[in-house]
Amino acid sequence: MGIQGLARRLEPYATRFSPGQLDGYSAVIDGPALAYYAHKLALASAASAARIPSYADIVAEAINWLAELEKSNIMVSAIYFDGALPLSKRAERVSRTEANNRRVQQFRNNHAAVSCPVPTYLGSISYAFLAPALQEALLDSPFSSKTKTVPGEADDWCALHAKENARSLIFTSDTDLVLYDYTPDTLIVFLHDADVPAGIKAYSPDDIGKQLQLKSLVPFAYALLENQQDSTKLLTQTARLVKQTSKPYIDFATRYVTKIVLPSFMTDSPNSPLDLGMPTVDVRVSEFLYQALDGAESLFVYMPLLVEDPNQASAWNVGHDIRTLAYSIPLSRKGHTVVHEYRRKAQGITVQQISPYTHTDVQTPLAALERQTRSLTEWAVAKSVTPDLLWSLFGLSFVLAEVNTPPAIPLVQRVLNGEFDNTWAFVHLTARLHAALYSLRMLSQIISVYLTDNPTTPTYSTEKARLHTTISSLVAHMKDFPSIPGVLGVPGQAKSVVVEHEVLKGLVEEIYRSNGMEVVREEVSSKKKKKQTREQERKKKKAEMREQAKPNVANAYSLLSHS
């Protein structure tokens, strides 16, 4: 992202540095940008063009890249992840989601028949949870202490870090990072130029400003926005004449010259929410919690775009009740609040209003979920089911509760084992399963933050004590909730068999029966039935011809007897 054309205009002023020339520099990394860069690395190193990388492949590339960076003596100082995007970015966020949704629709239209190819056309759109997948992997890596979720945009915090720490090397994909006010030795590296062994191409905002005879590059960027076709020389001249007291310029430049403003509830006290587990949650959860803690009456949650069949009902319908329960935990005592959840509906991205449970109502559905989760975990122990499979099967139960016609069990088996069969039914069932699992993940993270913030059972209220006990039990049941790579497969990735075929079939059938569902055989289209019939007839005729070609056994023995 960033300002279109800015990198191209500044590229002649970049300098290539060897690792030795960067001795003493420390790396400050835009976490989401690294996630998308790692996706490109994983694509480049894929064993087969017929498959796309898994989440596990991508996070492995990112962690390997960080390790290689440190081997070159450029130590990682901080990796920042978005914790909440500013209000000014809401329209841009929805617009971007709508654009990606149109690409999914186009992909579906291009393959209107039953067959669905490996979705290479969609690129990173196939990975709805890419940044959270990397974030959680880093928190379980040698870079854990460097990984931070911030109450704002990652790039703002990268800039602040560099401003406060000399000899900082910022790795990003956002050209905006060259516009901030830094110490003179700060360098900006766009990740596509970050080939460490070959040398790192970096931009020095201070040096570029001196060469262009500008005190800041902000007027240059502002001039570029207004005059996309102008040359660098002409843009520089325009930048010198920009009226920096005008409102349009001030509105544009404010982001790059002002300090970060923290939410009003945040302090430096030990009880700051940043010390209460917030750094370990996904951006959508942290953004929701920041709004809740800030006392907002209308809260906004932007669900990621899932790759699904746009001709079917939104996959995010699955898990709606779980998300409502999750939203209710921090909001149940705040009076009238509404959560505005943005997600696909029909062919567009629309907002769905969700009214959280009140503090008197939330206990009942929460206790029901706790009982359901407890029963499932006990069943898993008895059946020796691994956590990854356990939660996938639990997610399946929410899918079954939502659909009118349950999917055929062989299709479910293929989805759970990542055996992409090139059907849109596979794609859509995968999306529904992802919606269920991510809704459970959101709940798990929110109740964990609640419990960290409320470590002891209240004694002044029976109602609160019951709620605390139920949440504590649910947190215990969900302690082994798997990572994103563990349960969220991508259609088209390499097969990842979770359990032997017949064993999985039996487990899935049990989930069906426990949800009151009939065990359904796989539906076969009339076209496929005709093809199967023709194939059977062909095999029958071939067998008959072979029989006719064989010598008559009785006659053969008869001949032998007369010899």
Side-chain angles (χ1 to χ4, degrees), residues 242-529:
V242 167
K243 188 177 180 181
Q244 298 188 20
T245 57
S246 68
K247 186 178 185 304
Y249 178 81
I250 292 173
D251 290 343
F252 172 77
T254 296
R255 175 179 177 184
Y256 308 111
V257 296
T258 57
K259 291 185 177 181
I260 291 172
V261 179
L262 294 175
S264 60
F265 64 85
M266 293 186 67
T267 68
D268 293 328
S269 71
N271 293 324
S272 168
L274 282 182
D275 297 322
L276 300 176
M278 292 285 272
T280 63
V281 302
D282 297 351
V283 58
R284 286 165 188 86
V285 174
S286 64
E287 187 168 42
F288 165 74
L289 289 173
Y290 283 133
Q291 293 176 78
L293 291 166
D294 218 18
E297 292 187 0
S298 291
L299 298 91
F300 297 85
V301 178
Y302 300 84
M303 304 310 295
L305 182 73
L306 298 173
V307 175
E308 54 184 324
D309 186 345
N311 297 330
Q312 301 291 325
S314 172
W316 283 118
N317 290 346
V318 179
H320 175 272
D321 292 343
I322 297 297
R323 298 195 302 279
T324 300
L325 194 54
Y327 299 145
S328 302
I329 301 301
L331 297 177
S332 61
R333 304 193 69 85
K334 293 186 179 294
H336 181 68
T337 55
V338 176
V339 177
H340 301 267
E341 190 179 77
Y342 283 83
R343 56 188 176 90
R344 183 183 77 84
K345 183 178 181 182
Q347 300 302 306
I349 305 300
T350 61
V351 61
Q352 310 294 311
Q353 292 191 358
I354 298 175
S355 297
Y357 292 105
T358 65
H359 69 279
T360 55
D361 296 333
V362 70
Q363 172 64 27
T364 300
L366 193 66
L369 180 64
E370 188 278 330
R371 288 192 298 271
Q372 189 179 4
T373 308
R374 175 163 24 98
S375 297
L376 190 76
T377 52
E378 291 171 354
W379 172 80
V381 170
K383 295 285 184 177
S384 300
V385 176
T386 63
D388 287 3
L389 180 55
L390 159 67
W391 290 103
S392 293
L393 292 171
F394 196 28
L396 174 63
S397 69
F398 290 103
V399 175
L400 295 176
E402 180 64 31
V403 299
N404 294 323
T405 303
I409 286 179
L411 174 61
V412 174
Q413 289 176 267
R414 289 195 294 274
V415 168
L416 293 176
N417 276 332
E419 299 177 273
F420 186 39
D421 59 6
N422 296 100
T423 66
W424 282 100
F426 183 104
V427 171
H428 202 66
L429 179 56
T430 298
R432 282 172 162 161
L433 191 60
H434 285 190
L437 287 165
Y438 195 73
S439 298
L440 287 166
R441 179 183 172 93
M442 291 175 70
L443 174 67
S444 174
Q445 292 185 351
I446 288 173
I447 60 177
S448 294
V449 171
Y450 170 89
L451 205 59
T452 307
D453 196 17
N454 301 274
T456 58
T457 304
T459 56
Y460 57 87
S461 167
T462 304
E463 179 186 278
K464 283 192 172 184
R466 286 177 58 217
L467 181 65
H468 189 278
T469 300
T470 304
I471 290 176
S472 298
S473 179
L474 196 52
V475 167
H477 296 324
M478 301 186 81
K479 67 180 184 299
D480 61 355
F481 195 85
S483 66
I484 287 174
V487 288
L488 301 186
V490 182
Q493 71 175 50
K495 182 171 67 174
S496 178
V497 177
V498 293
V499 72
E500 190 269 330
H501 180 82
E502 286 302 315
V503 174
L504 181 58
K505 180 173 180 287
L507 294 173
V508 172
E509 288 178 349
E510 286 194 50
I511 294 296
Y512 269 57
R513 284 190 284 269
S514 69
N515 282 269
M517 292 286 182
E518 181 184 355
V519 175
V520 183
R521 292 183 178 181
E522 185 162 25
E523 294 182 12
V524 180
S525 66
S526 57
K527 184 177 180 181
K528 190 172 182 180
K529 285 179 181 177

Side-chain angles (χ1 to χ4, degrees), residues 175-193:
T175 56
D176 281 4
L177 264 295
V178 301
L179 303 180
Y180 288 81
D181 181 25
Y182 299 113
T183 58
D185 52 11
T186 299
L187 296 174
I188 313 298
V189 180
F190 300 129
L191 282 160
H192 62 268
D193 293 327

